Amino acid sequence: MGAKTLIIDGQTVSAENHVTILQAATDNGITIPTLCHLDGVYDVGACRLCLVEVKGSTKLFSACTTRVYEGMEVTTQSERLKKYRRMTIELLFAERNHVCAVCVANGHCELQALATSLGMDHVRYDYCFPKWGMDLTHPFLGMDDNRCILCTRCVRACWHIEGAGTKNVAGRGSKSHIISDLNEPWGDSETCTSCAKCLLSCPTGALFHKGDTVGESERDRSKLGYIVNAREKQQWIV
Amino acid sequence: MSKRIVIDPVTRIEGHAKISVFVDDAGNVSGAEFHVVEFRGFEKFCEGRPYSEMPGITPRICGICPVSHLLASAKAGDAIMAVSIPPAADKLRRLMNLGQIVQSHALSFFHLSAPDFLLGWDSPPAARNVFGLIKSNADLARAGIRLRQFGQEIIEVLGGKKIHPAWAVPGGVRSALTPEGRAKIRAWLPEAYATTRVALDLFKKVLTTHERETQLYGNFPTLFMGLIAADGGWEHHGGKLRFTDSSGSIIADHIDPKDYRSVIGEAVQENSYLKSPYYKPLGNPEGIYRVGPLARLNICSHMGVPQADAELKLFKTLGHGAVTSSFLFHYARLIEILAAIEFIERACDDPELSSDELRANAGINSLHGVGASEAPRGTLFHDYTVDRDGMLKKVNLIVATGQNNLAMNQTVAQIARHFVKGDAITEPMLNRIEHGIRCYDPCLSCSTHAAGRMALHVKLIGPGGEILNEVFRD
Ligand code: SF4
Ligand code: SF4
Ligand code: FES
Ligand SMILES: [Fe+2]
């Protein structure tokens, strides 16, 4: 038990034991960019956008998976961090095929919003232009691997909020991709409850409602947090 | 063996189009071909995407007529869902198409074509453009630019600043006409009418002094095709297909656009990405037909609005049965602008355009869907085949410029016949070929290149394939 006192960006804050730097920062109104973090499910530190500096180490730490300790000194904004975050976001764009102009998520996309806020005006790396397909076999949900950033938010929401365990990651490296069950067409899945929590969780246009056209994929991701809160703390939002 | 003159405004990127003129041994022009780079790539890369994305993707085929692709694409989507869309959605789509017709025709007439016949065919190309027109007739040029703005404003009022985010969607549209939008459009009407009247009077004057051009610029018999209303009236978004011949007789009628393949065959021309559609029952080349304003006015009995109907009567006197000179595309365009303004005025008084019943919902109920709409340049078909999940398996697009291809070839041949003497490629010939093509307002970057002047590259090729003469004009 007990609280820890630490310094984030020169500001002395106190945080509960065992919380992450990200939580401590958020609780104190300090914003750290994130992409794979999702309120309501555990963190995996997949996207590396929340990297921060901790005094005494030359290493960078992912704020979403690093716990606070007494006397910790954290820097969330620096030229170095800016550089790495920008590189990371550019690599995410270069890795798959993002054509925002015709994307269902255009205007409601966390990846796009981050790119804008991090000042990404172009991508310095060669695009990979991989050949990924889509899975449109589900009656009303669709998956486009071209827009997936492998944040695994959908997987975690599917396993740990819905408890269905339909969504999984298959493959390694650049071949990694999200599958349903043991790589079956989504529409054939016996475990999928069609709850659409994966869609709610997805930061990009990779998961969408079939029939949506450009920019129509708006979603309220906080709903997932409410569900978890209600379940774990018996607190309902009315 | 015959010789070939290649007028080679090379690639789309450079804003050139390429024309070959064939010359026989006696030195007479035997034919011509207009080559362009077209949308095959587009058809291919849409495969594997959901049909619902098409209204977002296809408007990007072309920066000049995105609205036409948007509407045809949404309609093909309606057909795949097998729904009839809410009446308000249909009216709103129509309103947008009218805006598109006004803006596109205004661009064609005032910016691209009028400088030719108002400043003179053989005035220096560098001055024969909209800037030249501003110099010589500032009021007219300005009015033309504003007329185009009016059309663009309608599109913007409905679809937002960026038309691309699919406003028309399978099943309907995303948003209605707001009271502010309505007021904005209404405020433009008096000026739009006035400008169109000025242009009409002007063009009728031009006609009296351009007897020769009327004869020269693509005056030959062809079929005409377009969408037609159930009562035989002018149509631009719904209706069925009609073909008439050059005597004005209906040779095919009430053809559901989804059955277009029963009447339209597609010939593939050597050295060109442009498909050349023809009327199937007559075969190629007898089945040559024209689409666009000239065709739409030829096939219909009335416009359905008083001012344009009066003009249509005059227009019809210019032919026997059908008006066959492509120079009169210009006149037809102005009459369509007038009709569009009258229909826009009606739409402004229709409360249904503010309805919130705008979008039908359904799954995949048909594995095949065709959407047809009258683009400013002629009938546009989007033909999608999907799988059970709505993923596109096959896409076929038939665009207006392609359908006019055979007629453009013939127009170039007709003009060249008057001008080709030996191996010389003369400036007057280039100027007239340029305008002959412009009559069709082909939708290529070349048609708007360099403030409206077409860049040309002409090659005269001898019987053995050797280049006898070559002229570049940027
Ligand atoms: S998922 Fe986001 S970043 Fe990717 S194409 Fe769509 S809007 Fe753009
Ligand atoms: S589908 Fe969406 S939520 Fe799932 S891994 Fe990809 S981007 Fe993340
Ligand atoms: S949010 Fe921390 S690594 Fe993605
Ligand atoms: Fe076009």
Side-chain angles (χ1 to χ4, degrees), chain A residues 143 147-155 178 198 201-204 206-207:
Chain A
M143 164 82 194
R147 301 169 182 150
C148 174
I149 54 167
L150 293 165
C151 64
T152 70
R153 277 162 52 160
C154 56
V155 177
I178 300 298
C198 55
S201 71
C202 182
T204 71
L207 289 164

Side-chain angles (χ1 to χ4, degrees), chain A residues 8-9 21-23 25-26 29-38 43 45-53 61-65 75-78 81-86 88-89 92 110-111 113-119 153:
Chain A
I8 306 180
D9 293 343
I21 300 174
L22 179 64
Q23 262 169 289
T26 311
I30 298 164
T31 326
I32 299 173
T34 62
L35 209 44
C36 67
H37 168 81
L38 177 69
D43 285 295
C47 73
R48 316 312 286 172
L49 275 157
C50 65
L51 290 179
V52 293
E53 291 166 357
F61 295 84
S62 54
C64 68
T65 54
T75 305
T76 74
Q77 306 293 338
S78 72
L81 290 171
K82 214 191 244 170
K83 194 177 100 191
Y84 280 115
R85 284 178 189 150
R86 214 184 124 174
T88 306
I89 201 106
L92 284 173
E110 290 181 37
L111 176 64
L114 261 183
T116 315
S117 67
L118 295 177
R153 277 162 52 160

Side-chain angles (χ1 to χ4, degrees), chain B residues 104-338:
Chain B
S104 173
H105 283 0
L107 176 76
S108 167
F109 186 84
F110 292 94
H111 292 57
L112 303 177
S113 296
D116 281 354
F117 48 74
L118 293 183
L119 304 176
W121 313 98
D122 296 318
S123 63
R128 192 158 35 83
N129 54 35
V130 75
F131 303 112
L133 191 63
I134 288 169
K135 252 195 199 145
S136 78
N137 193 339
D139 288 346
L140 182 74
R142 201 172 308 119
I145 290 166
R146 283 190 49 85
L147 185 59
R148 178 165 191 232
Q149 269 171 17
F150 166 55
Q152 283 169 321
E153 175 122 27
I154 292 173
I155 296 167
E156 195 180 305
V157 154
L158 293 171
K161 265 234 180 326
K162 292 181 225 132
I163 171 63
H164 297 311
W167 168 79
V169 290
V173 298
R174 286 206 208 170
S175 56
L177 180 62
T178 60
E180 305 81 66
R182 211 183 273 267
K184 248 186 188 173
I185 296 173
R186 219 182 245 131
W188 273 96
L189 291 170
E191 183 186 340
Y193 276 124
T195 302
T196 310
R197 291 250 71 107
V198 168
L200 275 162
D201 290 346
L202 188 98
F203 190 75
K204 280 185 250 177
K205 234 180 266 156
V206 166
L207 272 185
T208 60
T209 54
H210 287 64
E211 192 81 17
R212 190 171 134 87
E213 281 73 18
T214 312
Q215 290 311 318
L216 188 61
Y217 288 162
N219 192 15
F220 44 78
T222 61
L223 307 180
F224 296 96
M225 188 204 74
L227 290 170
I228 189 97
D231 64 354
W234 182 73
E235 181 54 85
H236 65 97
H237 189 58
K240 298 275 153 68
L241 295 172
R242 171 181 281 181
F243 281 85
T244 63
D245 64 16
S246 55
S247 71
S249 316
I250 298 167
I251 62 164
D253 209 6
H254 305 302
I255 295 158
D256 194 310
K258 79 172 170 20
D259 301 322
Y260 74 92
R261 279 181 195 283
S262 67
V263 283
I264 298 174
E266 289 183 83
V268 177
Q269 180 182 295
E270 217 189 316
N271 305 325
S272 179
Y273 288 107
L274 197 62
K275 290 174 277 190
S276 306
Y278 57 90
Y279 177 60
K280 222 176 195 170
L282 289 183
N284 185 18
E286 281 73 28
I288 174 175
Y289 66 91
R290 280 176 271 188
V291 296
L294 184 72
R296 287 191 289 258
L297 263 53
N298 272 331
I299 64 166
C300 77
S301 57
H302 58 282
M303 302 301 290
V305 275
Q307 295 190 41
D309 264 323
E311 285 296 331
L312 183 71
K313 275 212 187 79
L314 285 176
F315 174 83
K316 297 251 181 203
T317 63
L318 298 172
H320 308 282
V323 177
T324 52
S325 168
S326 285
F327 188 62
L328 294 168
F329 261 102
H330 298 310
Y331 189 19
R333 234 165 248 134
L334 292 175
I335 298 174
E336 286 200 328
I337 294 180
L338 186 58

Side-chain angles (χ1 to χ4, degrees), chain B residues 412-431:
Chain B
V412 173
Q414 192 184 18
I415 295 166
R417 217 161 272 142
H418 285 256
F419 288 96
V420 169
K421 296 259 156 25
D423 294 346
I425 298 165
T426 61
E427 190 66 23
M429 173 170 110
L430 289 180
N431 293 343

Side-chain angles (χ1 to χ4, degrees), chain A residues 14-207:
Chain A
S14 68
E16 268 179 64
N17 212 356
H18 293 312
V19 304
T20 62
I21 300 174
L22 179 64
Q23 262 169 289
T26 311
D27 291 347
N28 287 282
I30 298 164
T31 326
I32 299 173
T34 62
L35 209 44
C36 67
H37 168 81
L38 177 69
D39 282 340
V41 289
Y42 63 88
D43 285 295
V44 291
C47 73
R48 316 312 286 172
L49 275 157
C50 65
L51 290 179
V52 293
E53 291 166 357
V54 176
K55 195 169 177 192
S57 172
T58 49
K59 231 174 85 184
L60 297 175
F61 295 84
S62 54
C64 68
T65 54
T66 308
R67 312 226 168 253
V68 297
Y69 56 78
E70 185 63 36
M72 191 182 210
E73 274 186 53
V74 179
T75 305
T76 74
Q77 306 293 338
S78 72
E79 280 311 310
R80 178 169 168 231
L81 290 171
K82 214 191 244 170
K83 194 177 100 191
Y84 280 115
R85 284 178 189 150
R86 214 184 124 174
M87 254 162 68
T88 306
I89 201 106
E90 285 179 33
L91 287 167
L92 284 173
F93 274 90
E95 195 176 23
R96 299 254 167 136
N97 305 305
H98 293 271
V99 188
C100 300
V102 299
C103 178
V104 288
N106 194 3
H108 315 289
C109 173
E110 290 181 37
L111 176 64
Q112 191 186 46
L114 261 183
T116 315
S117 67
L118 295 177
M120 184 189 100
D121 44 13
H122 68 289
V123 172
R124 288 164 293 179
Y125 310 103
D126 287 342
Y127 284 91
C128 300
F129 297 119
K131 282 204 165 28
W132 287 105
M134 303 182 86
D135 186 341
L136 297 177
T137 57
H138 188 278
F140 58 88
L141 301 171
M143 164 82 194
D144 184 354
D145 285 302
N146 293 288
R147 301 169 182 150
C148 174
I149 54 167
L150 293 165
C151 64
T152 70
R153 277 162 52 160
C154 56
V155 177
R156 285 172 282 151
C158 183
W159 282 79
H160 301 284
I161 302 182
E162 180 61 5
T166 308
K167 291 288 173 197
N168 290 294
V169 186
R172 283 175 179 277
S174 64
K175 297 274 186 299
S176 304
H177 63 288
I178 300 298
I179 56 168
S180 299
D181 289 344
L182 294 169
N183 204 6
E184 279 157 69
W186 194 354
D188 293 349
S189 167
E190 292 194 355
T191 57
C192 175
T193 62
S194 295
C195 71
K197 290 190 177 69
C198 55
L199 176 132
L200 267 186
S201 71
C202 182
T204 71
L207 289 164

